[in-house]
Amino acid sequence: AQSVTQLGSHVSVSEGALVLLRCNYSSSVPPYLFWYVQYPNQGLQLLLKYTTGATLVKGINGFEAEFKKSETSFHLTKPSAHMSDAAEYFCAVSDPNSGGYQKVTFGTGTKLQVIP
Amino acid sequence: GAVVSQHPSRVICKSGTSVKIECRSLDFQATTMFWYRQFPKQSLMLMATSNEGSKATYEQGVEKDKFLINHASLTLSTLTVTSAHPEDSSFYICSANPDDSRYNEQFFGPGTRLTVL
């Protein structure tokens, strides 16, 4: 069984400040890990994903995340927040042995507020 | 990138009626699609896995007779909420897993907001 824990349902940062959204996972096998962003009343957009290889993953809109196996973490960061980053962010995990991109388990989400 | 559409984007219906939501992959084929449900300020919960040409696989606690899924082609899956009640009001999101292995992610539709009066 897999699970995802996102610490902090709400995070507020000032425009231009560092964004750090935390995600810890639990998986019995090396997982695939994802970060999605959701704007109000819209579907999900993939920000970045980790499957294999380099543990530091760069995504769209200046976001990146680092897979740390020893800490079972996949925190999302962005050096400088922009107003357009205000949205809900979901961390997710899937089992590569189950098709890899199927049966994705989502975290509870973190709502990011960017203060002007 | 690949595009998934959903129709309708919003629907309001009376209690007891049935509502059909369509999920289409516009520029790729998908043997497997997924239906999620999202309550306000909550995460996405997988309801079922829709497989083209075979029965859907429902997650524990999801009533298959209430949420009918039909995946009749490689680009279309439908979710029908039968005899809808106010507690079925939610945001329903589908996703599609492209058959083409070059795509290594699921693609999500924009969602359908269902309100049952």
Side-chain angles (χ1 to χ4, degrees), chain B residues 16-47:
Chain B
T17 61
S18 294
V19 174
K20 179 186 284 188
I21 303 170
E22 293 185 349
C23 177
R24 292 181 185 273
S25 57
L26 298 186
D27 47 5
F28 63 94
Q29 294 184 330
T31 301
T32 304
M33 294 185 178
F34 303 91
W35 286 97
Y36 296 85
R37 184 174 181 175
Q38 185 180 31
F39 289 107
K41 301 183 180 180
Q42 294 188 27
S43 188
L44 281 74
M45 299 300 295
L46 180 65
M47 298 175 65

PDB file of all heavy atoms in Angstrom, chain B residues 16-47:
ATOM      1  N   GLY B  16     -32.755  12.296  -7.946  1.00  0.00           N
ATOM      2  CA  GLY B  16     -33.441  11.176  -8.554  1.00  0.00           C
ATOM      3  C   GLY B  16     -33.175  11.000 -10.038  1.00  0.00           C
ATOM      4  O   GLY B  16     -33.477   9.942 -10.604  1.00  0.00           O
ATOM      5  N   THR B  17     -32.623  12.013 -10.652  1.00  0.00           N
ATOM      6  CA  THR B  17     -32.314  11.910 -12.080  1.00  0.00           C
ATOM      7  C   THR B  17     -30.916  11.350 -12.281  1.00  0.00           C
ATOM      8  O   THR B  17     -30.123  11.247 -11.340  1.00  0.00           O
ATOM      9  CB  THR B  17     -32.415  13.278 -12.764  1.00  0.00           C
ATOM     10  OG1 THR B  17     -31.463  14.168 -12.166  1.00  0.00           O
ATOM     11  CG2 THR B  17     -33.810  13.855 -12.613  1.00  0.00           C
ATOM     12  N   SER B  18     -30.613  10.961 -13.517  1.00  0.00           N
ATOM     13  CA  SER B  18     -29.298  10.422 -13.850  1.00  0.00           C
ATOM     14  C   SER B  18     -28.528  11.425 -14.692  1.00  0.00           C
ATOM     15  O   SER B  18     -29.105  12.165 -15.482  1.00  0.00           O
ATOM     16  CB  SER B  18     -29.445   9.106 -14.618  1.00  0.00           C
ATOM     17  OG  SER B  18     -30.022   8.113 -13.795  1.00  0.00           O
ATOM     18  N   VAL B  19     -27.247  11.429 -14.493  1.00  0.00           N
ATOM     19  CA  VAL B  19     -26.377  12.374 -15.189  1.00  0.00           C
ATOM     20  C   VAL B  19     -25.216  11.620 -15.817  1.00  0.00           C
ATOM     21  O   VAL B  19     -24.580  10.789 -15.161  1.00  0.00           O
ATOM     22  CB  VAL B  19     -25.816  13.428 -14.206  1.00  0.00           C
ATOM     23  CG1 VAL B  19     -24.806  14.328 -14.893  1.00  0.00           C
ATOM     24  CG2 VAL B  19     -26.954  14.245 -13.608  1.00  0.00           C
ATOM     25  N   LYS B  20     -24.943  11.928 -17.081  1.00  0.00           N
ATOM     26  CA  LYS B  20     -23.829  11.285 -17.774  1.00  0.00           C
ATOM     27  C   LYS B  20     -22.719  12.298 -17.998  1.00  0.00           C
ATOM     28  O   LYS B  20     -22.957  13.404 -18.490  1.00  0.00           O
ATOM     29  CB  LYS B  20     -24.269  10.710 -19.116  1.00  0.00           C
ATOM     30  CG  LYS B  20     -23.129  10.044 -19.893  1.00  0.00           C
ATOM     31  CD  LYS B  20     -23.548   9.600 -21.272  1.00  0.00           C
ATOM     32  CE  LYS B  20     -24.386   8.357 -21.221  1.00  0.00           C
ATOM     33  NZ  LYS B  20     -24.645   7.802 -22.578  1.00  0.00           N
ATOM     34  N   ILE B  21     -21.498  11.894 -17.674  1.00  0.00           N
ATOM     35  CA  ILE B  21     -20.318  12.734 -17.886  1.00  0.00           C
ATOM     36  C   ILE B  21     -19.397  12.019 -18.862  1.00  0.00           C
ATOM     37  O   ILE B  21     -19.117  10.834 -18.706  1.00  0.00           O
ATOM     38  CB  ILE B  21     -19.578  12.982 -16.558  1.00  0.00           C
ATOM     39  CG1 ILE B  21     -20.511  13.606 -15.527  1.00  0.00           C
ATOM     40  CG2 ILE B  21     -18.362  13.870 -16.783  1.00  0.00           C
ATOM     41  CD1 ILE B  21     -19.920  13.654 -14.118  1.00  0.00           C
ATOM     42  N   GLU B  22     -18.950  12.755 -19.858  1.00  0.00           N
ATOM     43  CA  GLU B  22     -18.067  12.175 -20.867  1.00  0.00           C
ATOM     44  C   GLU B  22     -16.613  12.601 -20.653  1.00  0.00           C
ATOM     45  O   GLU B  22     -16.342  13.742 -20.301  1.00  0.00           O
ATOM     46  CB  GLU B  22     -18.499  12.614 -22.271  1.00  0.00           C
ATOM     47  CG  GLU B  22     -19.825  12.072 -22.716  1.00  0.00           C
ATOM     48  CD  GLU B  22     -20.138  12.433 -24.155  1.00  0.00           C
ATOM     49  OE1 GLU B  22     -19.413  13.282 -24.722  1.00  0.00           O
ATOM     50  OE2 GLU B  22     -21.097  11.872 -24.705  1.00  0.00           O
ATOM     51  N   CYS B  23     -15.725  11.685 -20.922  1.00  0.00           N
ATOM     52  CA  CYS B  23     -14.285  11.943 -20.847  1.00  0.00           C
ATOM     53  C   CYS B  23     -13.669  11.479 -22.163  1.00  0.00           C
ATOM     54  O   CYS B  23     -13.792  10.305 -22.527  1.00  0.00           O
ATOM     55  CB  CYS B  23     -13.675  11.176 -19.684  1.00  0.00           C
ATOM     56  SG  CYS B  23     -11.876  11.344 -19.528  1.00  0.00           S
ATOM     57  N   ARG B  24     -13.049  12.399 -22.860  1.00  0.00           N
ATOM     58  CA  ARG B  24     -12.473  12.079 -24.171  1.00  0.00           C
ATOM     59  C   ARG B  24     -10.990  12.407 -24.223  1.00  0.00           C
ATOM     60  O   ARG B  24     -10.568  13.468 -23.769  1.00  0.00           O
ATOM     61  CB  ARG B  24     -13.164  12.866 -25.282  1.00  0.00           C
ATOM     62  CG  ARG B  24     -14.596  12.485 -25.541  1.00  0.00           C
ATOM     63  CD  ARG B  24     -15.192  13.306 -26.680  1.00  0.00           C
ATOM     64  NE  ARG B  24     -16.612  13.011 -26.848  1.00  0.00           N
ATOM     65  CZ  ARG B  24     -17.077  12.023 -27.587  1.00  0.00           C
ATOM     66  NH1 ARG B  24     -16.236  11.248 -28.260  1.00  0.00           N
ATOM     67  NH2 ARG B  24     -18.373  11.830 -27.697  1.00  0.00           N
ATOM     68  N   SER B  25     -10.222  11.488 -24.782  1.00  0.00           N
ATOM     69  CA  SER B  25      -8.829  11.797 -25.103  1.00  0.00           C
ATOM     70  C   SER B  25      -8.836  12.302 -26.539  1.00  0.00           C
ATOM     71  O   SER B  25      -9.285  11.620 -27.452  1.00  0.00           O
ATOM     72  CB  SER B  25      -7.957  10.550 -24.947  1.00  0.00           C
ATOM     73  OG  SER B  25      -8.425   9.484 -25.746  1.00  0.00           O
ATOM     74  N   LEU B  26      -8.375  13.525 -26.735  1.00  0.00           N
ATOM     75  CA  LEU B  26      -8.563  14.183 -28.024  1.00  0.00           C
ATOM     76  C   LEU B  26      -7.517  13.821 -29.061  1.00  0.00           C
ATOM     77  O   LEU B  26      -7.795  13.831 -30.259  1.00  0.00           O
ATOM     78  CB  LEU B  26      -8.576  15.703 -27.818  1.00  0.00           C
ATOM     79  CG  LEU B  26      -9.708  16.238 -26.942  1.00  0.00           C
ATOM     80  CD1 LEU B  26      -9.711  17.755 -26.918  1.00  0.00           C
ATOM     81  CD2 LEU B  26     -11.062  15.707 -27.400  1.00  0.00           C
ATOM     82  N   ASP B  27      -6.326  13.518 -28.647  1.00  0.00           N
ATOM     83  CA  ASP B  27      -5.272  13.274 -29.639  1.00  0.00           C
ATOM     84  C   ASP B  27      -4.423  12.055 -29.310  1.00  0.00           C
ATOM     85  O   ASP B  27      -3.284  11.940 -29.762  1.00  0.00           O
ATOM     86  CB  ASP B  27      -4.380  14.513 -29.789  1.00  0.00           C
ATOM     87  CG  ASP B  27      -3.954  15.069 -28.441  1.00  0.00           C
ATOM     88  OD1 ASP B  27      -4.263  14.443 -27.410  1.00  0.00           O
ATOM     89  OD2 ASP B  27      -3.327  16.134 -28.422  1.00  0.00           O
ATOM     90  N   PHE B  28      -5.007  11.153 -28.533  1.00  0.00           N
ATOM     91  CA  PHE B  28      -4.301   9.900 -28.271  1.00  0.00           C
ATOM     92  C   PHE B  28      -5.319   8.844 -27.878  1.00  0.00           C
ATOM     93  O   PHE B  28      -6.451   9.153 -27.532  1.00  0.00           O
ATOM     94  CB  PHE B  28      -3.255  10.080 -27.162  1.00  0.00           C
ATOM     95  CG  PHE B  28      -3.834  10.450 -25.815  1.00  0.00           C
ATOM     96  CD1 PHE B  28      -4.135   9.471 -24.868  1.00  0.00           C
ATOM     97  CD2 PHE B  28      -4.074  11.782 -25.478  1.00  0.00           C
ATOM     98  CE1 PHE B  28      -4.665   9.814 -23.626  1.00  0.00           C
ATOM     99  CE2 PHE B  28      -4.600  12.132 -24.250  1.00  0.00           C
ATOM    100  CZ  PHE B  28      -4.900  11.147 -23.323  1.00  0.00           C
ATOM    101  N   GLN B  29      -4.878   7.614 -27.946  1.00  0.00           N
ATOM    102  CA  GLN B  29      -5.744   6.512 -27.546  1.00  0.00           C
ATOM    103  C   GLN B  29      -5.406   6.064 -26.131  1.00  0.00           C
ATOM    104  O   GLN B  29      -4.233   6.078 -25.737  1.00  0.00           O
ATOM    105  CB  GLN B  29      -5.591   5.331 -28.525  1.00  0.00           C
ATOM    106  CG  GLN B  29      -6.094   5.645 -29.929  1.00  0.00           C
ATOM    107  CD  GLN B  29      -6.024   4.453 -30.858  1.00  0.00           C
ATOM    108  OE1 GLN B  29      -5.154   3.592 -30.707  1.00  0.00           O
ATOM    109  NE2 GLN B  29      -6.929   4.382 -31.823  1.00  0.00           N
ATOM    110  N   ALA B  30      -6.418   5.650 -25.423  1.00  0.00           N
ATOM    111  CA  ALA B  30      -6.221   5.252 -24.032  1.00  0.00           C
ATOM    112  C   ALA B  30      -7.079   4.044 -23.708  1.00  0.00           C
ATOM    113  O   ALA B  30      -8.301   4.169 -23.607  1.00  0.00           O
ATOM    114  CB  ALA B  30      -6.551   6.405 -23.093  1.00  0.00           C
ATOM    115  N   THR B  31      -6.457   2.923 -23.555  1.00  0.00           N
ATOM    116  CA  THR B  31      -7.177   1.729 -23.136  1.00  0.00           C
ATOM    117  C   THR B  31      -7.676   1.891 -21.701  1.00  0.00           C
ATOM    118  O   THR B  31      -8.701   1.347 -21.339  1.00  0.00           O
ATOM    119  CB  THR B  31      -6.262   0.508 -23.231  1.00  0.00           C
ATOM    120  OG1 THR B  31      -5.814   0.357 -24.587  1.00  0.00           O
ATOM    121  CG2 THR B  31      -6.974  -0.759 -22.792  1.00  0.00           C
ATOM    122  N   THR B  32      -6.925   2.644 -20.931  1.00  0.00           N
ATOM    123  CA  THR B  32      -7.248   2.813 -19.511  1.00  0.00           C
ATOM    124  C   THR B  32      -7.506   4.279 -19.183  1.00  0.00           C
ATOM    125  O   THR B  32      -6.695   5.137 -19.533  1.00  0.00           O
ATOM    126  CB  THR B  32      -6.103   2.289 -18.631  1.00  0.00           C
ATOM    127  OG1 THR B  32      -5.842   0.931 -18.964  1.00  0.00           O
ATOM    128  CG2 THR B  32      -6.468   2.394 -17.157  1.00  0.00           C
ATOM    129  N   MET B  33      -8.614   4.521 -18.554  1.00  0.00           N
ATOM    130  CA  MET B  33      -8.940   5.851 -18.037  1.00  0.00           C
ATOM    131  C   MET B  33      -9.356   5.703 -16.584  1.00  0.00           C
ATOM    132  O   MET B  33      -9.687   4.613 -16.130  1.00  0.00           O
ATOM    133  CB  MET B  33     -10.064   6.492 -18.858  1.00  0.00           C
ATOM    134  CG  MET B  33      -9.679   6.805 -20.295  1.00  0.00           C
ATOM    135  SD  MET B  33     -11.008   7.690 -21.170  1.00  0.00           S
ATOM    136  CE  MET B  33     -10.250   7.973 -22.758  1.00  0.00           C
ATOM    137  N   PHE B  34      -9.333   6.799 -15.876  1.00  0.00           N
ATOM    138  CA  PHE B  34      -9.631   6.773 -14.453  1.00  0.00           C
ATOM    139  C   PHE B  34     -10.661   7.846 -14.120  1.00  0.00           C
ATOM    140  O   PHE B  34     -10.664   8.923 -14.718  1.00  0.00           O
ATOM    141  CB  PHE B  34      -8.360   7.036 -13.630  1.00  0.00           C
ATOM    142  CG  PHE B  34      -7.248   6.071 -13.915  1.00  0.00           C
ATOM    143  CD1 PHE B  34      -6.305   6.347 -14.891  1.00  0.00           C
ATOM    144  CD2 PHE B  34      -7.149   4.886 -13.215  1.00  0.00           C
ATOM    145  CE1 PHE B  34      -5.282   5.458 -15.167  1.00  0.00           C
ATOM    146  CE2 PHE B  34      -6.125   3.988 -13.485  1.00  0.00           C
ATOM    147  CZ  PHE B  34      -5.198   4.274 -14.469  1.00  0.00           C
ATOM    148  N   TRP B  35     -11.494   7.532 -13.142  1.00  0.00           N
ATOM    149  CA  TRP B  35     -12.456   8.506 -12.658  1.00  0.00           C
ATOM    150  C   TRP B  35     -12.172   8.804 -11.193  1.00  0.00           C
ATOM    151  O   TRP B  35     -12.037   7.890 -10.375  1.00  0.00           O
ATOM    152  CB  TRP B  35     -13.883   7.983 -12.818  1.00  0.00           C
ATOM    153  CG  TRP B  35     -14.335   8.010 -14.250  1.00  0.00           C
ATOM    154  CD1 TRP B  35     -14.317   6.984 -15.142  1.00  0.00           C
ATOM    155  CD2 TRP B  35     -14.860   9.135 -14.952  1.00  0.00           C
ATOM    156  NE1 TRP B  35     -14.791   7.396 -16.351  1.00  0.00           N
ATOM    157  CE2 TRP B  35     -15.144   8.713 -16.276  1.00  0.00           C
ATOM    158  CE3 TRP B  35     -15.134  10.457 -14.605  1.00  0.00           C
ATOM    159  CZ2 TRP B  35     -15.676   9.563 -17.239  1.00  0.00           C
ATOM    160  CZ3 TRP B  35     -15.669  11.311 -15.558  1.00  0.00           C
ATOM    161  CH2 TRP B  35     -15.939  10.863 -16.858  1.00  0.00           C
ATOM    162  N   TYR B  36     -12.078  10.108 -10.904  1.00  0.00           N
ATOM    163  CA  TYR B  36     -11.820  10.565  -9.555  1.00  0.00           C
ATOM    164  C   TYR B  36     -12.981  11.448  -9.085  1.00  0.00           C
ATOM    165  O   TYR B  36     -13.686  12.052  -9.881  1.00  0.00           O
ATOM    166  CB  TYR B  36     -10.538  11.405  -9.493  1.00  0.00           C
ATOM    167  CG  TYR B  36      -9.265  10.666  -9.829  1.00  0.00           C
ATOM    168  CD1 TYR B  36      -8.844  10.516 -11.151  1.00  0.00           C
ATOM    169  CD2 TYR B  36      -8.467  10.127  -8.825  1.00  0.00           C
ATOM    170  CE1 TYR B  36      -7.665   9.852 -11.455  1.00  0.00           C
ATOM    171  CE2 TYR B  36      -7.280   9.473  -9.123  1.00  0.00           C
ATOM    172  CZ  TYR B  36      -6.895   9.342 -10.443  1.00  0.00           C
ATOM    173  OH  TYR B  36      -5.726   8.685 -10.744  1.00  0.00           O
ATOM    174  N   ARG B  37     -13.075  11.550  -7.782  1.00  0.00           N
ATOM    175  CA  ARG B  37     -14.059  12.419  -7.177  1.00  0.00           C
ATOM    176  C   ARG B  37     -13.326  13.309  -6.187  1.00  0.00           C
ATOM    177  O   ARG B  37     -12.442  12.832  -5.461  1.00  0.00           O
ATOM    178  CB  ARG B  37     -15.099  11.555  -6.459  1.00  0.00           C
ATOM    179  CG  ARG B  37     -16.242  12.299  -5.849  1.00  0.00           C
ATOM    180  CD  ARG B  37     -17.249  11.298  -5.316  1.00  0.00           C
ATOM    181  NE  ARG B  37     -18.386  11.960  -4.732  1.00  0.00           N
ATOM    182  CZ  ARG B  37     -19.461  11.346  -4.269  1.00  0.00           C
ATOM    183  NH1 ARG B  37     -19.529  10.023  -4.312  1.00  0.00           N
ATOM    184  NH2 ARG B  37     -20.449  12.022  -3.760  1.00  0.00           N
ATOM    185  N   GLN B  38     -13.689  14.570  -6.191  1.00  0.00           N
ATOM    186  CA  GLN B  38     -13.027  15.512  -5.300  1.00  0.00           C
ATOM    187  C   GLN B  38     -14.067  16.345  -4.571  1.00  0.00           C
ATOM    188  O   GLN B  38     -14.802  17.116  -5.201  1.00  0.00           O
ATOM    189  CB  GLN B  38     -12.075  16.414  -6.089  1.00  0.00           C
ATOM    190  CG  GLN B  38     -11.261  17.349  -5.210  1.00  0.00           C
ATOM    191  CD  GLN B  38     -10.324  18.229  -6.029  1.00  0.00           C
ATOM    192  OE1 GLN B  38     -10.616  18.579  -7.161  1.00  0.00           O
ATOM    193  NE2 GLN B  38      -9.182  18.587  -5.445  1.00  0.00           N
ATOM    194  N   PHE B  39     -14.129  16.191  -3.262  1.00  0.00           N
ATOM    195  CA  PHE B  39     -15.014  17.015  -2.447  1.00  0.00           C
ATOM    196  C   PHE B  39     -14.305  18.332  -2.155  1.00  0.00           C
ATOM    197  O   PHE B  39     -13.083  18.404  -2.219  1.00  0.00           O
ATOM    198  CB  PHE B  39     -15.395  16.281  -1.167  1.00  0.00           C
ATOM    199  CG  PHE B  39     -16.331  15.137  -1.403  1.00  0.00           C
ATOM    200  CD1 PHE B  39     -15.881  13.823  -1.318  1.00  0.00           C
ATOM    201  CD2 PHE B  39     -17.657  15.363  -1.718  1.00  0.00           C
ATOM    202  CE1 PHE B  39     -16.745  12.770  -1.552  1.00  0.00           C
ATOM    203  CE2 PHE B  39     -18.524  14.312  -1.945  1.00  0.00           C
ATOM    204  CZ  PHE B  39     -18.064  13.006  -1.871  1.00  0.00           C
ATOM    205  N   PRO B  40     -15.081  19.368  -1.821  1.00  0.00           N
ATOM    206  CA  PRO B  40     -14.481  20.683  -1.577  1.00  0.00           C
ATOM    207  C   PRO B  40     -13.331  20.624  -0.585  1.00  0.00           C
ATOM    208  O   PRO B  40     -13.439  20.009   0.467  1.00  0.00           O
ATOM    209  CB  PRO B  40     -15.654  21.500  -1.029  1.00  0.00           C
ATOM    210  CG  PRO B  40     -16.857  20.868  -1.638  1.00  0.00           C
ATOM    211  CD  PRO B  40     -16.543  19.398  -1.693  1.00  0.00           C
ATOM    212  N   LYS B  41     -12.249  21.235  -0.979  1.00  0.00           N
ATOM    213  CA  LYS B  41     -11.065  21.356  -0.133  1.00  0.00           C
ATOM    214  C   LYS B  41     -10.491  20.000   0.266  1.00  0.00           C
ATOM    215  O   LYS B  41      -9.834  19.887   1.306  1.00  0.00           O
ATOM    216  CB  LYS B  41     -11.380  22.196   1.111  1.00  0.00           C
ATOM    217  CG  LYS B  41     -11.856  23.603   0.782  1.00  0.00           C
ATOM    218  CD  LYS B  41     -12.099  24.436   2.015  1.00  0.00           C
ATOM    219  CE  LYS B  41     -12.564  25.832   1.627  1.00  0.00           C
ATOM    220  NZ  LYS B  41     -12.812  26.679   2.817  1.00  0.00           N
ATOM    221  N   GLN B  42     -10.721  19.012  -0.553  1.00  0.00           N
ATOM    222  CA  GLN B  42     -10.160  17.693  -0.291  1.00  0.00           C
ATOM    223  C   GLN B  42      -9.389  17.197  -1.508  1.00  0.00           C
ATOM    224  O   GLN B  42      -9.405  17.812  -2.572  1.00  0.00           O
ATOM    225  CB  GLN B  42     -11.264  16.695   0.064  1.00  0.00           C
ATOM    226  CG  GLN B  42     -11.965  17.007   1.370  1.00  0.00           C
ATOM    227  CD  GLN B  42     -12.903  15.897   1.783  1.00  0.00           C
ATOM    228  OE1 GLN B  42     -12.714  14.728   1.430  1.00  0.00           O
ATOM    229  NE2 GLN B  42     -13.932  16.239   2.546  1.00  0.00           N
ATOM    230  N   SER B  43      -8.734  16.090  -1.318  1.00  0.00           N
ATOM    231  CA  SER B  43      -7.921  15.548  -2.401  1.00  0.00           C
ATOM    232  C   SER B  43      -8.781  14.735  -3.361  1.00  0.00           C
ATOM    233  O   SER B  43      -9.975  14.552  -3.153  1.00  0.00           O
ATOM    234  CB  SER B  43      -6.818  14.675  -1.816  1.00  0.00           C
ATOM    235  OG  SER B  43      -5.919  14.281  -2.832  1.00  0.00           O
ATOM    236  N   LEU B  44      -8.147  14.243  -4.407  1.00  0.00           N
ATOM    237  CA  LEU B  44      -8.831  13.395  -5.365  1.00  0.00           C
ATOM    238  C   LEU B  44      -8.873  11.965  -4.840  1.00  0.00           C
ATOM    239  O   LEU B  44      -7.859  11.433  -4.384  1.00  0.00           O
ATOM    240  CB  LEU B  44      -8.093  13.383  -6.705  1.00  0.00           C
ATOM    241  CG  LEU B  44      -8.298  14.572  -7.622  1.00  0.00           C
ATOM    242  CD1 LEU B  44      -7.542  15.790  -7.106  1.00  0.00           C
ATOM    243  CD2 LEU B  44      -7.844  14.231  -9.029  1.00  0.00           C
ATOM    244  N   MET B  45     -10.035  11.380  -4.935  1.00  0.00           N
ATOM    245  CA  MET B  45     -10.180   9.985  -4.536  1.00  0.00           C
ATOM    246  C   MET B  45     -10.522   9.168  -5.772  1.00  0.00           C
ATOM    247  O   MET B  45     -11.492   9.468  -6.467  1.00  0.00           O
ATOM    248  CB  MET B  45     -11.284   9.846  -3.488  1.00  0.00           C
ATOM    249  CG  MET B  45     -11.011  10.616  -2.215  1.00  0.00           C
ATOM    250  SD  MET B  45      -9.498  10.080  -1.392  1.00  0.00           S
ATOM    251  CE  MET B  45      -9.946   8.401  -0.943  1.00  0.00           C
ATOM    252  N   LEU B  46      -9.731   8.150  -6.033  1.00  0.00           N
ATOM    253  CA  LEU B  46      -9.985   7.304  -7.189  1.00  0.00           C
ATOM    254  C   LEU B  46     -11.277   6.525  -6.969  1.00  0.00           C
ATOM    255  O   LEU B  46     -11.453   5.863  -5.943  1.00  0.00           O
ATOM    256  CB  LEU B  46      -8.820   6.340  -7.400  1.00  0.00           C
ATOM    257  CG  LEU B  46      -8.945   5.379  -8.574  1.00  0.00           C
ATOM    258  CD1 LEU B  46      -8.957   6.140  -9.901  1.00  0.00           C
ATOM    259  CD2 LEU B  46      -7.799   4.363  -8.563  1.00  0.00           C
ATOM    260  N   MET B  47     -12.175   6.630  -7.937  1.00  0.00           N
ATOM    261  CA  MET B  47     -13.432   5.898  -7.862  1.00  0.00           C
ATOM    262  C   MET B  47     -13.325   4.565  -8.585  1.00  0.00           C
ATOM    263  O   MET B  47     -13.751   3.530  -8.084  1.00  0.00           O
ATOM    264  CB  MET B  47     -14.559   6.709  -8.497  1.00  0.00           C
ATOM    265  CG  MET B  47     -14.854   8.030  -7.844  1.00  0.00           C
ATOM    266  SD  MET B  47     -16.079   8.961  -8.758  1.00  0.00           S
ATOM    267  CE  MET B  47     -17.507   7.907  -8.578  1.00  0.00           C
TER     268      MET B  47
END
